[in-house]
């Protein structure tokens, strides 16, 4: 198979597109992992800060410090909600990227199937030609043998 046939060029372009889609999917998944890690960190930080507030309340805390703790926890809650929304958005990007990769993979598989069929058809044509050639040689040999046999009779 020549590397410059239109189907081979389509296969090569599809392979490159599939590989690029795979890299994009990997990037999106890494982004999703970072967003999930950030959300986990915020949850841990909030839990730690709530424990500190509880300890401070057990030991006695003034109203200004209590207000500061509560304000900071509210800001952490806001950050957690933003991180959740970001993670959801990132999850949607991962899904879209995965769908795109699957489409590219399907396209490549289709072209590969066409190339395989073309190769099989070419091989069958070649095998038939070789068989015809062998049959002709056999028939010619048999005809010569008969001709020689009739000459000697």
């Amino acid at each position: 198979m020549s590397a410059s046939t239109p189907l081979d060029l389509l296969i090569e372009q599809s392979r490159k597109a599939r590989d690029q889609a795979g890299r994009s999917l990997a990037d999106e998944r890494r982004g999703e992992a970072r967003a999930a890690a950030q959300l986990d960190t915020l949850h841990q930080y909030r839990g730690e800060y709530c424990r500190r507030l509880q300890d401070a309340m057990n030991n006695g805390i003034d109203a200004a410090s209590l207000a500061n703790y509560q304000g900071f926890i509210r800001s952490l809650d806001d950050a957690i909600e933003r991180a959740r929304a970001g993670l959801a958005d990132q999850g949607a990007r991962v899904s879209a990227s995965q769908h795109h990769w699957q489409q590219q993979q399907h396209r490549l598989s289709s072209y590969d199937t066409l190339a395989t069929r073309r190769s099989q058809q070419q091989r069958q044509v070649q095998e038939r030609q070789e068989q015809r050639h062998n049959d002709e040689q056999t028939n010619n040999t048999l005809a010569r043998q008969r001709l020689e046999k009739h000459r000697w009779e």
Side-chain angles (χ1 to χ4, degrees):
M1 238 182 331
S2 172
S4 62
T5 66
L7 183 56
D8 292 330
L9 292 174
L10 283 173
I11 289 171
E12 184 60 29
Q13 289 172 348
S14 293
R15 186 170 285 119
K16 287 178 182 177
R18 189 263 332 254
D19 292 347
Q20 178 58 44
R23 286 188 291 275
S24 294
L25 175 57
D27 289 344
E28 295 296 348
R29 284 184 174 159
R30 280 190 291 275
E32 184 179 41
R34 282 191 301 272
Q38 180 183 22
L39 181 58
D40 287 343
T41 300
L42 287 169
H43 276 295
Q44 289 171 2
Y45 193 48
R46 186 187 189 285
E48 181 182 321
Y49 212 78
C50 284
R51 281 189 294 281
R52 287 182 187 176
L53 173 59
Q54 188 64 42
D55 289 345
M57 288 173 56
N58 288 340
N59 293 328
I61 187 171
D62 61 88
S65 295
L66 179 61
N68 284 340
Y69 270 103
Q70 289 173 335
F72 188 69
I73 290 173
R74 276 192 301 277
S75 69
L76 283 174
D77 288 340
D78 292 341
I80 287 171
E81 284 308 308
R82 285 191 304 275
R84 278 189 186 133
L87 181 57
D89 289 345
Q90 189 63 35
R93 284 192 293 276
V94 167
S95 292
S97 186
Q98 185 168 3
H99 180 71
H100 178 67
W101 178 85
Q102 288 170 334
Q103 287 177 323
Q104 295 301 320
Q105 179 63 32
H106 180 71
R107 178 176 289 141
L108 176 59
S109 294
S110 297
Y111 290 147
D112 280 338
T113 298
L114 289 174
T116 299
R117 286 180 188 161
R118 182 184 66 185
S119 177
Q120 288 172 344
Q121 288 170 343
Q122 287 174 343
R123 190 172 54 253
Q124 287 173 347
V125 166
Q126 184 178 2
E127 287 172 357
R128 278 189 231 125
Q129 288 173 345
E130 289 174 6
Q131 185 63 45
R132 273 190 230 119
H133 177 72
N134 289 339
D135 289 347
E136 283 179 26
Q137 283 184 334
T138 301
N139 287 337
N140 289 341
T141 301
L142 287 174
R144 275 193 299 254
Q145 288 174 353
R146 283 188 210 122
L147 186 61
E148 289 295 318
K149 184 177 180 184
H150 287 308
R151 278 191 203 172
W152 295 103
E153 292 180 353

